[in-house]
Amino acid sequence: MRDYTGWIVRSAAGRDEGDIFCVVGTDQENRLLLADGKRRKLAKPKGKKLGHVECLTDHLNGYDHPAIEKLKQGQALTDKELRRALAAFRAKEV
């Protein structure tokens, strides 16, 4: 499975439909592990199938933010840093 870590996605199905998350990894069942730093913390990410999300960034059109780069490199990231990165992404997107 491809490495989706650091991609920004929008939930396309479920209770959280329309919410923006960052992919923090994958699990054994090939589900994406999503966190937003607020409702879904890095310590307990949400598992979601790839077909249930809309990719807003990818390996070609990545989001260049220091917190996302830390995540991609495997360094420790805080929920606060993740919230700030996603807030900056939302501001840029609008």
Side-chain angles (χ1 to χ4, degrees), residues 64-79:
D64 192 27
H65 191 277
I68 302 300
E69 293 303 318
K70 278 178 70 173
L71 182 65
K72 288 180 182 178
Q73 294 172 2
Q75 298 176 3
L77 185 68
T78 65
D79 289 316

Side-chain angles (χ1 to χ4, degrees), residues 28-75:
Q28 288 81 17
E29 299 166 7
N30 290 330
R31 294 183 304 166
L32 302 177
L33 297 176
L34 309 177
D36 65 1
K38 189 172 184 178
R39 285 174 302 207
R40 280 296 174 172
K41 307 279 186 184
L42 290 165
K44 191 174 179 189
K46 176 179 185 66
K48 207 164 200 38
K49 292 181 181 179
L50 181 60
H52 293 175
V53 298
E54 171 191 353
C55 296
L56 302 177
T57 64
D58 57 21
H59 64 285
L60 298 176
N61 302 313
Y63 176 51
D64 192 27
H65 191 277
I68 302 300
E69 293 303 318
K70 278 178 70 173
L71 182 65
K72 288 180 182 178
Q73 294 172 2
Q75 298 176 3

